[in-house]
């Protein structure tokens, strides 16, 4: 019987932005790094050389702009694409390594650190919806991208777990460890440069540990 390929495909971006919109969102990210919660539609329009009317047309309001900005930042964690019908251990490992590399690179970057610091501050003060926006369009959106790949690995008998949610949480912990919280709290002994210098080694170690916990040994290469 002929096998029908059923690819697991996840879009590169949850939202599709034009190059001009991407330039606006990049400007907004730059302003967030520079000014924290001082982001305004006026400042973004000025930095991006566009009108406020255009921003309102594209994004609705400030929360809409913030949502799109977080989505654009989170989209840097690229979507793995695998073919269920031809999935093997090597392809699965490479996909998971790529995801881990992107995840760690984005999380330790200055933009993500600033976004998370600002969101935590706002959430504590019940100031606005930034905390919810960052949570839903950042960490939770990124989680939704990898879980289908883990489930494809389970279906192909390359991974063994009962809950893809638990498997993802373990994966996240192995990749990120305490790096994110230390950066958020301003640990002077941990700099973005020395974290970035060790990303490849950290990604390999985390992937090895993940497969040691969840890999179906009979199917490992």
């Amino acid at each position: 019987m002929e096998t029908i390929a059923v690819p697991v495909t996840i879009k590169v971006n949850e939202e599709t932005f034009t190059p001009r919109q991407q330039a606006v969102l990049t400007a907004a990210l730059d302003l967030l790094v520079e000014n924290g919660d001082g982001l305004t539609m006026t400042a973004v329009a000025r930095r991006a050389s566009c009108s406020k009317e255009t921003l309102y047309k594209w994004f609705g309001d400030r929360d809409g702009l913030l949502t799109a900005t977080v989505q654009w930042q989170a989209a840097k964690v690229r979507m793995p694409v695998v073919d269920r019908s031809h999935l093997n251990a090597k392809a699965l490992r490479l996909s998971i390594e790529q995801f881990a590399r992107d995840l760690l690179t984005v999380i330790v970057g200055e933009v993500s650190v600033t976004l998370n610091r600002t969101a935590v501050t706002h959430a504590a003060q019940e100031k606005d919806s930034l905390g919810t926006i960052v949570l839903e369009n950042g960490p939770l959106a990124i989680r939704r991208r990898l879980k289908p790949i883990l489930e494809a690995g389970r279906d192909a008998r390359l991974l063994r777990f009962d809950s893809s949610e638990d498997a993802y949480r373990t994966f996240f912990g192995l990749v990120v460890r305490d790096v994110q919280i230390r950066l958020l709290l301003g640990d002077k002994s941990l700099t973005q440069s020395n974290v970035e210098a060790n990303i490849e080694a950290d990604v390999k170690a985390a992937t090895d540990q993940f497969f040691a916990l969840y890999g179906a040994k009979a199917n490992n290469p």
Side-chain angles (χ1 to χ4, degrees), residues 13 15-26 54 58-59 72:
N13 295 313
E15 297 290 333
T16 300
F17 301 111
T18 67
R20 185 69 182 102
Q21 288 170 333
Q22 292 173 20
V24 169
L25 296 176
T26 298
T54 297
W58 283 345
F59 307 112
W72 177 236

Side-chain angles (χ1 to χ4, degrees), residues 152-166:
R154 180 181 59 188
D155 293 345
R157 298 184 180 180
L158 300 172
L159 297 173
R160 293 177 180 171
F161 53 79
D162 294 325
S163 166
S164 59
E165 176 68 17
D166 290 343

Side-chain angles (χ1 to χ4, degrees), residues 46-68:
R46 184 180 301 116
R47 175 66 65 91
S49 299
C50 70
S51 67
K52 286 198 295 183
E53 289 75 18
T54 297
L55 293 184
Y56 285 114
K57 177 181 178 181
W58 283 345
F59 307 112
D61 57 13
R62 183 174 179 272
D63 277 359
L65 174 62
L66 285 169
T67 298

